[in-house]
Every structure is written in structure tokens, then in C-alpha cells.
Coordinates of all heavy atoms in Angstrom, one line a residue:
M950 N -173.0 -48.5 210.9 CA -173.6 -49.4 210.1 C -172.7 -50.7 210.0 O -171.5 -50.5 209.9 CB -173.8 -48.9 208.7 CG -174.5 -49.8 207.7 SD -174.8 -49.0 206.2 CE -174.1 -50.1 205.1
E951 N -173.3 -51.8 210.0 CA -172.5 -53.1 210.0 C -172.9 -53.8 208.7 O -174.1 -53.8 208.3 CB -172.9 -53.9 211.2 CG -172.0 -55.2 211.3 CD -172.3 -55.9 212.5 OE1 -172.2 -55.4 213.6 OE2 -172.6 -57.1 212.4
L952 N -171.9 -54.4 208.1 CA -172.1 -55.1 206.9 C -171.8 -56.6 207.2 O -170.7 -56.9 207.7 CB -171.2 -54.6 205.8 CG -171.3 -55.3 204.4 CD1 -172.7 -55.2 203.8 CD2 -170.3 -54.7 203.5
S953 N -172.7 -57.5 206.8 CA -172.4 -58.9 207.0 C -172.3 -59.6 205.7 O -173.2 -59.5 204.8 CB -173.6 -59.5 207.8 OG -173.4 -60.9 208.0
V954 N -171.2 -60.3 205.5 CA -170.9 -61.0 204.2 C -170.5 -62.4 204.6 O -169.6 -62.6 205.4 CB -169.8 -60.2 203.4 CG1 -169.6 -60.9 202.1 CG2 -170.2 -58.8 203.2
T955 N -171.0 -63.3 203.9 CA -170.6 -64.7 204.1 C -169.4 -65.1 203.2 O -169.1 -64.4 202.2 CB -171.8 -65.7 203.7 OG1 -172.0 -65.6 202.3 CG2 -173.0 -65.3 204.5
K956 N -168.8 -66.1 203.6 CA -167.6 -66.7 202.9 C -168.1 -67.0 201.5 O -167.4 -66.7 200.5 CB -167.1 -67.9 203.6 CG -166.0 -68.6 202.8 CD -165.6 -69.9 203.6 CE -164.7 -70.8 202.7 NZ -164.3 -72.0 203.3
K957 N -169.2 -67.6 201.3 CA -169.7 -68.0 200.0 C -170.0 -66.7 199.1 O -169.6 -66.8 197.9 CB -171.1 -68.7 200.2 CG -171.6 -69.2 198.9 CD -172.9 -70.0 199.1 CE -173.5 -70.5 197.7 NZ -174.7 -71.2 197.9
E958 N -170.5 -65.7 199.7 CA -170.7 -64.4 198.9 C -169.4 -63.8 198.5 O -169.3 -63.3 197.3 CB -171.4 -63.4 199.8 CG -172.9 -63.8 200.0 CD -173.6 -62.9 201.0 OE1 -172.9 -62.4 202.0 OE2 -174.8 -62.7 200.8
I959 N -168.3 -63.9 199.3 CA -167.0 -63.4 198.9 C -166.5 -64.2 197.8 O -165.9 -63.6 196.8 CB -166.1 -63.3 200.1 CG1 -166.5 -62.3 201.1 CG2 -164.6 -63.0 199.7 CD1 -165.8 -62.3 202.4
I960 N -166.6 -65.5 197.9 CA -166.1 -66.4 196.8 C -166.8 -66.1 195.5 O -166.2 -66.0 194.5 CB -166.1 -67.9 197.3 CG1 -165.1 -68.1 198.4 CG2 -165.9 -68.8 196.1 CD1 -165.2 -69.5 199.1
E961 N -168.1 -66.0 195.6 CA -168.9 -65.8 194.4 C -168.6 -64.4 193.8 O -168.5 -64.3 192.5 CB -170.4 -65.8 194.7 CG -170.9 -67.2 195.0 CD -170.7 -68.2 193.8 OE1 -171.0 -67.8 192.6 OE2 -170.2 -69.3 194.0
F962 N -168.3 -63.4 194.6 CA -167.9 -62.1 194.1 C -166.6 -62.2 193.3 O -166.4 -61.7 192.2 CB -167.8 -61.1 195.2 CG -167.3 -59.8 194.7 CD1 -168.1 -58.9 194.0 CD2 -166.0 -59.4 195.0 CE1 -167.6 -57.7 193.6 CE2 -165.5 -58.2 194.5 CZ -166.3 -57.3 193.9
K963 N -165.6 -62.9 193.9 CA -164.3 -63.0 193.3 C -164.4 -63.8 192.0 O -163.7 -63.5 191.1 CB -163.3 -63.6 194.3 CG -163.0 -62.8 195.5 CD -162.5 -61.4 195.1 CE -161.1 -61.4 194.6 NZ -160.6 -60.0 194.2
K964 N -165.2 -64.9 192.0 CA -165.4 -65.7 190.8 C -166.0 -64.8 189.7 O -165.5 -64.8 188.6 CB -166.3 -66.8 191.1 CG -165.7 -68.0 191.8 CD -166.6 -69.1 192.1 CE -167.5 -69.6 191.0 NZ -168.4 -70.8 191.4
L965 N -167.0 -64.0 190.0 CA -167.6 -63.1 189.0 C -166.6 -62.1 188.5 O -166.6 -61.8 187.3 CB -168.9 -62.5 189.6 CG -170.1 -63.4 189.8 CD1 -171.2 -62.6 190.5 CD2 -170.6 -63.9 188.5
E966 N -165.8 -61.6 189.4 CA -164.8 -60.7 189.0 C -163.8 -61.3 187.9 O -163.5 -60.7 186.9 CB -164.0 -60.2 190.2 CG -163.1 -59.1 190.0 CD -162.5 -58.6 191.4 OE1 -161.8 -59.5 192.0 OE2 -162.7 -57.5 191.8
V967 N -163.4 -62.5 188.2 CA -162.4 -63.2 187.3 C -163.1 -63.6 186.0 O -162.6 -63.5 184.9 CB -161.8 -64.4 188.0 CG1 -160.9 -65.2 187.0 CG2 -160.9 -63.9 189.2
I968 N -164.4 -64.1 186.1 CA -165.1 -64.4 184.9 C -165.3 -63.2 184.0 O -165.2 -63.4 182.8 CB -166.5 -65.1 185.3 CG1 -166.2 -66.5 185.9 CG2 -167.4 -65.2 184.1 CD1 -167.4 -67.1 186.6
S969 N -165.5 -62.1 184.6 CA -165.6 -60.9 183.8 C -164.3 -60.6 183.1 O -164.3 -60.2 181.9 CB -166.0 -59.7 184.7 OG -166.0 -58.5 184.0
Q970 N -163.2 -60.7 183.7 CA -161.9 -60.5 183.1 C -161.7 -61.5 182.0 O -161.2 -61.2 180.9 CB -160.8 -60.6 184.2 CG -160.9 -59.4 185.2 CD -159.9 -59.6 186.3 OE1 -159.4 -60.7 186.5 NE2 -159.6 -58.6 187.1
I971 N -162.1 -62.8 182.3 CA -161.9 -63.8 181.3 C -162.7 -63.5 180.0 O -162.2 -63.6 178.9 CB -162.3 -65.2 181.8 CG1 -161.3 -65.7 182.8 CG2 -162.5 -66.2 180.7 CD1 -161.7 -66.9 183.6
A972 N -163.9 -63.0 180.2 CA -164.8 -62.7 179.0 C -164.1 -61.6 178.2 O -164.1 -61.6 177.0 CB -166.2 -62.3 179.5
S973 N -163.6 -60.6 178.9 CA -162.9 -59.5 178.2 C -161.7 -59.9 177.4 O -161.5 -59.6 176.2 CB -162.5 -58.4 179.2 OG -161.8 -57.4 178.6
I974 N -160.9 -60.8 178.0 CA -159.7 -61.3 177.3 C -160.1 -62.2 176.1 O -159.5 -62.1 175.1 CB -158.8 -62.1 178.3 CG1 -158.2 -61.1 179.4 CG2 -157.7 -62.8 177.6 CD1 -157.3 -60.1 178.9
K975 N -161.1 -63.0 176.3 CA -161.6 -63.9 175.3 C -162.0 -63.1 174.1 O -161.8 -63.5 172.9 CB -162.7 -64.8 175.7 CG -162.2 -66.0 176.5 CD -163.4 -66.9 176.8 CE -163.0 -68.2 177.5 NZ -164.1 -69.1 177.8
S976 N -162.7 -62.0 174.3 CA -163.2 -61.2 173.2 C -162.0 -60.6 172.4 O -162.1 -60.5 171.2 CB -164.2 -60.1 173.6 OG -163.5 -59.1 174.3
K977 N -161.0 -60.2 173.1 CA -159.8 -59.7 172.4 C -159.1 -60.8 171.6 O -158.6 -60.5 170.5 CB -158.9 -59.1 173.4 CG -159.4 -57.8 174.1 CD -158.6 -57.2 175.2 CE -159.3 -56.0 175.7 NZ -158.7 -55.4 176.9
I978 N -159.0 -62.0 172.2 CA -158.4 -63.1 171.4 C -159.3 -63.4 170.2 O -158.7 -63.7 169.1 CB -158.3 -64.3 172.4 CG1 -157.2 -64.1 173.4 CG2 -158.0 -65.6 171.6 CD1 -157.1 -65.1 174.5
E979 N -160.6 -63.4 170.3 CA -161.5 -63.7 169.2 C -161.3 -62.6 168.1 O -161.4 -63.0 166.9 CB -162.9 -63.7 169.7 CG -163.3 -64.9 170.5 CD -164.6 -64.8 171.1 OE1 -165.3 -63.8 171.0 OE2 -165.0 -65.8 171.9
L980 N -161.0 -61.4 168.4 CA -160.7 -60.4 167.4 C -159.5 -60.8 166.5 O -159.5 -60.7 165.3 CB -160.5 -59.0 168.0 CG -161.7 -58.3 168.6 CD1 -161.3 -57.0 169.3 CD2 -162.7 -58.0 167.5
F981 N -158.4 -61.3 167.2 CA -157.2 -61.7 166.5 C -157.5 -63.0 165.7 O -157.1 -63.1 164.5 CB -156.1 -62.0 167.4 CG -155.4 -60.7 167.9 CD1 -155.4 -60.4 169.3 CD2 -154.8 -59.8 167.0 CE1 -154.8 -59.2 169.7 CE2 -154.2 -58.7 167.5 CZ -154.2 -58.4 168.8
E982 N -158.3 -63.9 166.2 CA -158.7 -65.1 165.5 C -159.5 -64.8 164.2 O -159.3 -65.4 163.2 CB -159.5 -66.1 166.4 CG -158.6 -66.7 167.5 CD -159.4 -67.5 168.5 OE1 -160.7 -67.4 168.5 OE2 -158.8 -68.2 169.3
S983 N -160.3 -63.8 164.4 CA -161.1 -63.4 163.2 C -160.2 -62.7 162.2 O -160.3 -62.9 161.0 CB -162.2 -62.4 163.7 OG -162.9 -61.9 162.6
K984 N -159.4 -61.8 162.7 CA -158.5 -61.1 161.8 C -157.6 -62.0 160.9 O -157.4 -61.8 159.7 CB -157.6 -60.1 162.6 CG -156.7 -59.3 161.7 CD -155.9 -58.2 162.6 CE -155.0 -57.4 161.8 NZ -154.3 -56.4 162.6
Y985 N -157.0 -63.0 161.6 CA -156.1 -63.9 160.9 C -156.7 -65.3 160.5 O -156.0 -66.1 159.9 CB -154.8 -64.1 161.8 CG -154.0 -62.8 161.9 CD1 -154.1 -62.0 163.1 CD2 -153.2 -62.4 160.9 CE1 -153.4 -60.8 163.2 CE2 -152.5 -61.2 160.9 CZ -152.6 -60.4 162.1 OH -151.9 -59.3 162.2
G986 N -157.9 -65.5 160.9 CA -158.6 -66.7 160.5 C -158.0 -68.0 161.0 O -158.0 -69.1 160.4
C987 N -157.4 -67.9 162.2 CA -156.8 -69.1 162.9 C -156.7 -68.9 164.4 O -156.8 -67.8 164.9 CB -155.5 -69.5 162.2 SG -154.2 -68.2 162.4
K988 N -156.3 -70.0 165.0 CA -156.0 -69.9 166.5 C -154.6 -69.4 166.6 O -153.8 -69.4 165.7 CB -156.1 -71.3 167.1 CG -157.5 -71.9 167.0 CD -158.5 -71.2 168.0 CE -159.8 -71.8 168.0 NZ -160.8 -71.1 168.7
F989 N -154.3 -69.0 167.9 CA -153.0 -68.4 168.2 C -151.8 -69.4 167.8 O -150.8 -68.9 167.2 CB -152.8 -68.0 169.7 CG -151.5 -67.6 170.0 CD1 -151.0 -66.3 169.7 CD2 -150.6 -68.4 170.7 CE1 -149.7 -65.9 170.0 CE2 -149.3 -68.0 171.1 CZ -148.9 -66.8 170.7
E990 N -151.9 -70.6 168.2 CA -150.8 -71.6 167.9 C -150.5 -71.7 166.4 O -149.3 -71.7 166.0 CB -151.2 -73.0 168.5 CG -151.3 -73.0 170.0 CD -152.6 -72.4 170.5 OE1 -153.6 -72.2 169.7 OE2 -152.7 -72.2 171.7
D991 N -151.6 -71.7 165.6 CA -151.4 -71.8 164.1 C -150.7 -70.5 163.6 O -149.8 -70.5 162.8 CB -152.7 -72.0 163.4 CG -153.3 -73.4 163.8 OD1 -152.5 -74.3 164.0 OD2 -154.5 -73.5 163.9
F992 N -151.2 -69.4 164.1 CA -150.6 -68.1 163.7 C -149.2 -68.0 164.1 O -148.3 -67.6 163.3 CB -151.4 -66.9 164.4 CG -150.9 -65.6 164.1 CD1 -151.1 -65.0 162.8 CD2 -150.1 -64.9 165.0 CE1 -150.6 -63.7 162.5 CE2 -149.6 -63.6 164.7 CZ -149.9 -63.0 163.5
E993 N -148.8 -68.5 165.3 CA -147.4 -68.4 165.7 C -146.5 -69.2 164.8 O -145.4 -68.8 164.4 CB -147.4 -68.9 167.2 CG -146.0 -68.9 167.8 CD -146.0 -69.4 169.2 OE1 -146.7 -70.4 169.6 OE2 -145.4 -68.7 170.1
K994 N -147.0 -70.4 164.5 CA -146.2 -71.3 163.6 C -146.0 -70.6 162.2 O -144.9 -70.6 161.7 CB -146.9 -72.6 163.4 CG -146.9 -73.5 164.6 CD -147.7 -74.8 164.4 CE -147.8 -75.6 165.6 NZ -148.8 -76.7 165.5
K995 N -147.1 -70.1 161.6 CA -147.0 -69.4 160.3 C -146.0 -68.2 160.4 O -145.2 -68.0 159.5 CB -148.3 -68.9 159.9 CG -149.3 -70.0 159.5 CD -150.6 -69.4 159.1 CE -151.8 -70.3 159.0 NZ -153.0 -69.7 158.7
L996 N -146.1 -67.4 161.5 CA -145.3 -66.2 161.6 C -143.8 -66.6 161.7 O -143.0 -65.9 161.1 CB -145.8 -65.4 162.8 CG -145.2 -64.1 163.0 CD1 -145.5 -63.1 161.9 CD2 -145.6 -63.5 164.3
K997 N -143.5 -67.6 162.4 CA -142.1 -68.0 162.7 C -141.5 -68.6 161.4 O -140.3 -68.6 161.3 CB -142.0 -68.9 163.9 CG -142.3 -68.1 165.2 CD -142.0 -68.9 166.4 CE -142.2 -68.0 167.6 NZ -142.0 -68.7 168.9
K998 N -142.3 -69.1 160.5 CA -141.8 -69.7 159.3 C -141.6 -68.7 158.2 O -140.9 -68.9 157.2 CB -142.8 -70.8 158.8 CG -142.8 -72.1 159.6 CD -143.7 -73.1 159.0 CE -143.7 -74.3 159.8 NZ -144.7 -75.3 159.3
K999 N -142.2 -67.5 158.3 CA -142.1 -66.5 157.3 C -140.7 -65.9 157.2 O -140.0 -65.7 158.2 CB -143.1 -65.3 157.6 CG -144.5 -65.6 157.3 CD -145.4 -64.4 157.6 CE -146.1 -64.0 156.4 NZ -147.0 -62.8 156.6
R1000 N -140.3 -65.6 156.0 CA -139.0 -65.1 155.8 C -139.0 -63.5 155.9 O -138.1 -62.9 156.4 CB -138.5 -65.4 154.4 CG -138.1 -66.9 154.3 CD -137.5 -67.2 153.0 NE -137.0 -68.6 153.1 CZ -135.7 -68.9 152.8 NH1 -134.9 -67.9 152.5 NH2 -135.3 -70.1 153.0
D1001 N -140.1 -62.9 155.4 CA -140.2 -61.5 155.4 C -141.0 -61.1 156.7 O -141.9 -61.7 157.1 CB -141.1 -61.0 154.3 CG -140.4 -61.3 152.9 OD1 -139.2 -61.3 152.9 OD2 -141.1 -61.5 151.9
E1002 N -140.4 -60.1 157.4 CA -141.0 -59.6 158.6 C -142.1 -58.6 158.3 O -142.0 -57.7 157.5 CB -140.0 -58.9 159.5 CG -139.1 -59.9 160.3 CD -138.4 -59.2 161.4 OE1 -138.7 -58.1 161.8 OE2 -137.3 -59.8 161.8
D1003 N -143.2 -58.8 159.0 CA -144.4 -57.9 158.9 C -144.6 -57.3 160.3 O -145.0 -58.1 161.2 CB -145.6 -58.6 158.4 CG -146.8 -57.7 158.3 OD1 -147.0 -56.8 159.2 OD2 -147.6 -57.9 157.3
F1004 N -144.2 -56.1 160.5 CA -144.2 -55.5 161.8 C -145.6 -55.5 162.5 O -145.7 -55.7 163.7 CB -143.6 -54.1 161.8 CG -142.2 -54.1 161.5 CD1 -141.7 -53.6 160.3 CD2 -141.2 -54.6 162.3 CE1 -140.3 -53.6 159.9 CE2 -139.9 -54.7 162.0 CZ -139.4 -54.2 160.8
E1005 N -146.6 -55.3 161.7 CA -148.0 -55.3 162.2 C -148.3 -56.7 162.8 O -148.9 -56.9 163.9 CB -149.0 -54.9 161.2 CG -150.5 -55.0 161.7 CD -151.5 -54.7 160.7 OE1 -151.2 -54.3 159.5 OE2 -152.7 -54.8 161.1
E1006 N -147.9 -57.7 162.0 CA -148.2 -59.1 162.5 C -147.4 -59.4 163.7 O -147.9 -60.1 164.6 CB -147.8 -60.1 161.4 CG -148.8 -60.2 160.2 CD -148.5 -61.2 159.2 OE1 -147.4 -61.8 159.2 OE2 -149.4 -61.4 158.3
W1007 N -146.1 -58.9 163.8 CA -145.3 -59.2 165.0 C -145.9 -58.4 166.2 O -145.9 -58.9 167.3 CB -143.9 -58.8 164.8 CG -143.2 -60.0 164.1 CD1 -142.9 -60.1 162.8 CD2 -142.7 -61.2 164.8 NE1 -142.2 -61.3 162.6 CE2 -142.1 -62.0 163.8 CE3 -142.7 -61.6 166.1 CZ2 -141.5 -63.2 164.1 CZ3 -142.1 -62.8 166.4 CH2 -141.5 -63.6 165.4
D1008 N -146.4 -57.2 166.0 CA -147.0 -56.5 167.1 C -148.3 -57.2 167.5 O -148.5 -57.3 168.7 CB -147.4 -55.1 166.6 CG -146.2 -54.1 166.5 OD1 -145.1 -54.5 167.0 OD2 -146.4 -53.0 165.9
D1009 N -149.1 -57.7 166.6 CA -150.3 -58.4 166.9 C -149.9 -59.7 167.7 O -150.6 -60.1 168.6 CB -151.1 -58.8 165.7 CG -151.8 -57.6 165.1 OD1 -151.9 -56.5 165.8 OD2 -152.4 -57.7 164.0
Y1010 N -148.8 -60.4 167.2 CA -148.4 -61.6 167.8 C -148.0 -61.4 169.3 O -148.4 -62.1 170.2 CB -147.1 -62.2 167.1 CG -146.4 -63.2 167.8 CD1 -146.9 -64.5 167.9 CD2 -145.2 -63.0 168.4 CE1 -146.3 -65.5 168.6 CE2 -144.5 -64.0 169.1 CZ -145.1 -65.2 169.2 OH -144.4 -66.2 169.9
I1011 N -147.3 -60.3 169.6 CA -146.9 -60.0 171.0 C -148.1 -59.8 171.8 O -148.2 -60.3 173.0 CB -145.9 -58.8 171.0 CG1 -144.6 -59.2 170.3 CG2 -145.7 -58.3 172.4 CD1 -143.7 -58.1 170.0
E1012 N -149.0 -59.0 171.3 CA -150.3 -58.7 172.1 C -151.1 -59.9 172.3 O -151.6 -60.2 173.4 CB -151.0 -57.6 171.3 CG -152.2 -57.0 172.1 CD -152.9 -55.9 171.4 OE1 -152.4 -55.4 170.4 OE2 -154.0 -55.5 171.9
W1013 N -151.3 -60.7 171.2 CA -152.1 -61.9 171.2 C -151.5 -62.9 172.2 O -152.2 -63.5 173.0 CB -152.2 -62.5 169.8 CG -153.2 -63.5 169.5 CD1 -154.1 -64.1 170.4 CD2 -153.5 -64.0 168.2 NE1 -154.9 -65.0 169.7 CE2 -154.6 -65.0 168.4 CE3 -153.0 -63.8 167.0 CZ2 -155.1 -65.7 167.3 CZ3 -153.5 -64.5 165.9 CH2 -154.6 -65.5 166.1
K1014 N -150.2 -63.0 172.2 CA -149.5 -64.0 173.1 C -149.8 -63.5 174.5 O -150.0 -64.4 175.4 CB -148.0 -64.0 172.8 CG -147.3 -65.0 173.6 CD -145.8 -65.0 173.2 CE -145.1 -66.1 174.0 NZ -143.7 -66.2 173.5
A1015 N -149.7 -62.3 174.8 CA -150.0 -61.8 176.2 C -151.4 -62.1 176.6 O -151.7 -62.5 177.8 CB -149.7 -60.3 176.2
Y1016 N -152.4 -61.9 175.7 CA -153.8 -62.3 176.0 C -153.9 -63.8 176.3 O -154.6 -64.1 177.2 CB -154.7 -61.8 174.9 CG -154.9 -60.4 174.8 CD1 -155.0 -59.8 173.5 CD2 -155.1 -59.5 175.9 CE1 -155.1 -58.4 173.4 CE2 -155.3 -58.2 175.7 CZ -155.3 -57.6 174.5 OH -155.5 -56.3 174.4
V1017 N -153.3 -64.6 175.5 CA -153.4 -66.0 175.7 C -152.8 -66.4 177.1 O -153.4 -67.2 177.8 CB -152.7 -66.8 174.6 CG1 -152.5 -68.3 174.9 CG2 -153.4 -66.6 173.3
R1018 N -151.7 -65.8 177.4 CA -151.0 -66.1 178.7 C -151.9 -65.6 179.9 O -152.1 -66.3 180.8 CB -149.7 -65.4 178.8 CG -148.9 -65.7 180.1 CD -147.5 -65.1 180.1 NE -146.7 -65.4 179.0 CZ -146.1 -64.5 178.2 NH1 -146.2 -63.2 178.5 NH2 -145.4 -64.8 177.2
T1019 N -152.5 -64.4 179.7 CA -153.3 -63.9 180.7 C -154.6 -64.7 180.9 O -155.0 -64.9 182.0 CB -153.7 -62.4 180.4 OG1 -152.5 -61.6 180.3 CG2 -154.7 -61.8 181.4
L1020 N -155.1 -65.2 179.8 CA -156.3 -66.1 179.9 C -156.0 -67.3 180.7 O -156.8 -67.7 181.5 CB -156.8 -66.4 178.5 CG -158.0 -67.3 178.4 CD1 -159.2 -66.7 179.1 CD2 -158.4 -67.7 177.0
K1021 N -154.8 -67.9 180.4 CA -154.4 -69.1 181.1 C -154.3 -68.8 182.6 O -154.8 -69.6 183.5 CB -153.1 -69.6 180.6 CG -152.6 -70.9 181.3 CD -151.2 -71.3 180.7 CE -150.7 -72.5 181.5 NZ -149.3 -72.8 181.2
E1022 N -153.7 -67.7 183.0 CA -153.5 -67.3 184.4 C -154.8 -67.1 185.1 O -155.0 -67.5 186.2 CB -152.6 -66.1 184.5 CG -151.2 -66.3 184.1 CD -150.4 -65.0 183.9 OE1 -150.9 -63.9 184.1 OE2 -149.2 -65.1 183.6
L1023 N -155.8 -66.4 184.3 CA -157.1 -66.2 184.9 C -157.9 -67.4 185.2 O -158.6 -67.6 186.2 CB -157.9 -65.2 184.0 CG -157.4 -63.7 184.0 CD1 -158.1 -63.0 183.0 CD2 -157.7 -63.1 185.4
K1024 N -157.7 -68.4 184.2 CA -158.4 -69.7 184.4 C -157.9 -70.4 185.6 O -158.6 -71.0 186.4 CB -158.3 -70.5 183.2 CG -159.2 -70.1 182.0 CD -159.1 -70.9 180.8 CE -160.0 -70.5 179.7 NZ -159.9 -71.4 178.5
E1025 N -156.6 -70.3 185.8 CA -155.9 -70.9 187.0 C -156.4 -70.2 188.3 O -156.7 -70.9 189.3 CB -154.4 -70.9 186.9 CG -153.8 -71.8 185.9 CD -152.4 -71.6 185.6 OE1 -151.7 -70.7 186.3 OE2 -151.8 -72.2 184.7
K1026 N -156.5 -68.9 188.2 CA -157.0 -68.1 189.4 C -158.4 -68.5 189.7 O -158.8 -68.7 190.9 CB -156.9 -66.6 189.1 CG -157.2 -65.8 190.3 CD -157.0 -64.3 189.9 CE -157.3 -63.4 191.1 NZ -157.0 -62.0 190.8
L1027 N -159.2 -68.7 188.7 CA -160.6 -69.1 188.9 C -160.7 -70.5 189.6 O -161.5 -70.6 190.5 CB -161.4 -69.1 187.6 CG -162.9 -69.5 187.6 CD1 -163.6 -68.4 188.5 CD2 -163.5 -69.5 186.2
K1028 N -159.9 -71.4 189.2 CA -159.8 -72.7 189.8 C -159.4 -72.6 191.3 O -160.0 -73.2 192.2 CB -158.8 -73.6 189.1 CG -159.4 -74.2 187.8 CD -158.4 -75.2 187.2 CE -158.8 -75.6 185.9 NZ -157.8 -76.5 185.2
E1029 N -158.4 -71.7 191.6 CA -158.0 -71.5 193.0 C -159.1 -70.9 193.8 O -159.3 -71.4 194.9 CB -156.8 -70.5 193.0 CG -155.5 -71.1 192.5 CD -154.4 -70.1 192.4 OE1 -154.6 -69.0 193.0 OE2 -153.4 -70.4 191.8
I1030 N -159.9 -70.0 193.3 CA -161.0 -69.4 194.0 C -162.1 -70.5 194.2 O -162.6 -70.6 195.4 CB -161.6 -68.2 193.2 CG1 -160.6 -67.1 193.2 CG2 -162.9 -67.8 193.8 CD1 -161.0 -66.0 192.2
E1031 N -162.4 -71.3 193.2 CA -163.4 -72.3 193.4 C -163.0 -73.4 194.4 O -163.9 -73.9 195.1 CB -163.7 -73.0 192.0 CG -164.4 -72.1 191.1 CD -164.5 -72.7 189.7 OE1 -163.7 -73.6 189.3 OE2 -165.4 -72.2 188.9
N1032 N -161.7 -73.6 194.6 CA -161.2 -74.6 195.5 C -160.8 -74.0 196.8 O -160.2 -74.7 197.7 CB -160.0 -75.4 194.9 CG -160.5 -76.2 193.7 OD1 -161.6 -76.7 193.6 ND2 -159.6 -76.3 192.7
A1033 N -161.0 -72.7 197.0 CA -160.6 -72.0 198.3 C -161.3 -72.7 199.5 O -162.5 -72.9 199.5 CB -160.9 -70.5 198.2
K1034 N -160.5 -72.9 200.5 CA -161.0 -73.5 201.7 C -161.2 -72.5 202.8 O -161.9 -72.7 203.7 CB -160.0 -74.6 202.2 CG -159.9 -75.7 201.2 CD -159.5 -77.0 201.9 CE -159.2 -78.2 201.0 NZ -160.0 -78.4 199.8
D1035 N -160.5 -71.3 202.6 CA -160.6 -70.3 203.6 C -160.6 -68.9 202.9 O -160.1 -68.8 201.8 CB -159.5 -70.4 204.6 CG -159.7 -69.6 205.9 OD1 -160.9 -69.3 206.1 OD2 -158.7 -69.3 206.6
V1036 N -161.2 -68.0 203.6 CA -161.2 -66.6 203.1 C -160.6 -65.7 204.1 O -161.0 -65.8 205.3 CB -162.7 -66.1 202.8 CG1 -162.7 -64.7 202.4 CG2 -163.3 -67.0 201.7
R1037 N -159.6 -64.9 203.7 CA -159.0 -63.9 204.6 C -159.2 -62.5 204.0 O -158.9 -62.3 202.8 CB -157.5 -64.3 204.7 CG -156.8 -63.4 205.6 CD -155.3 -63.9 205.8 NE -154.7 -64.1 204.6 CZ -153.7 -63.3 204.0 NH1 -153.4 -62.2 204.6 NH2 -153.2 -63.6 202.9
L1038 N -159.6 -61.6 204.8 CA -159.8 -60.2 204.4 C -158.5 -59.5 204.6 O -157.9 -59.6 205.7 CB -160.9 -59.6 205.2 CG -162.3 -60.2 204.9 CD1 -163.3 -59.5 205.8 CD2 -162.7 -60.1 203.5
A1039 N -158.1 -58.8 203.6 CA -156.8 -58.0 203.8 C -157.1 -56.6 204.0 O -158.1 -56.0 203.7 CB -155.9 -58.2 202.5

């Protein structure tokens, strides 16, 4: 059996894969935004100004920061896929 796939189909598949990951990460970020009633940057500023440590907040901060970083990386990856000039199968 032979499978024929175009460059465009491969690019579209990879885009959908990344878009799916972005949606998942965004929903996790939205949970933190809902929990704390603010965006990550505002939460980070408030947390760093506090004198008393709240371990739950710091745990959330670390996790939330990782999601924000991952979202940025995925958006960059999506741009790379959209601008891909060539496709190489590994």
C-alpha cells in the first residue's frame, strides 16, 4: 500500500497539532487567571511584593510561569510551521 501526502497536508497537520497544544495550555492559563482574578504578569508582581510566603501561591506561580513560557514557544513554533519553505521527513 502506498500513501501519498502533499507538503501542504503535512504543514496543515503540524499546524493543527500545535494549535491543539496551544488550546490546552491556554485553558490551563485561564484556570489560574480565574483563580487569582488577574493575568500572570499582575500575579507575579503581587506575589513578589508580598512579605509572607504562601506555598500554594508559589507552586501555582511556578506552574503558571511554565505554561506562559510554553505558550510563547508554541506560538513561535506555529509561526515557523506557517513560514516553512520545505518539508523533510525524518
Side-chain angles (χ1 to χ4, degrees):
M950 183 174 128
E951 186 175 307
L952 178 63
S953 178
V954 181
T955 67
K956 174 184 168 182
K957 184 178 178 181
E958 290 171 327
I959 292 172
I960 290 172
E961 286 303 311
F962 174 78
K963 293 306 287 179
K964 280 175 54 176
L965 288 173
E966 189 175 62
V967 173
I968 289 168
S969 172
Q970 292 171 344
I971 287 172
S973 175
I974 295 295
K975 279 185 174 182
S976 71
K977 291 175 182 173
I978 289 172
E979 287 169 1
L980 288 174
F981 284 117
E982 289 174 347
S983 176
K984 180 176 180 178
Y985 291 102
C987 61
K988 299 287 184 186
F989 174 76
E990 295 78 14
D991 296 327
F992 177 74
E993 183 176 43
K994 287 175 190 173
K995 288 179 197 176
L996 187 64
K997 290 184 176 182
K998 287 181 182 178
K999 286 180 118 178
R1000 290 183 169 239
D1001 298 330
E1002 281 194 21
D1003 181 320
F1004 293 112
E1005 180 184 355
E1006 286 182 350
W1007 276 98
D1008 286 346
D1009 286 349
Y1010 167 74
I1011 292 166
E1012 188 175 350
W1013 195 352
K1014 185 175 182 176
Y1016 288 139
V1017 168
R1018 184 178 307 127
T1019 301
L1020 179 61
K1021 181 181 176 195
E1022 291 168 359
L1023 287 170
K1024 286 181 176 180
E1025 289 171 4
K1026 185 174 181 178
L1027 184 59
K1028 283 181 186 177
E1029 288 174 12
I1030 292 169
E1031 291 172 338
N1032 297 324
K1034 300 206 184 322
D1035 197 19
V1036 174
R1037 181 174 49 105
L1038 298 175

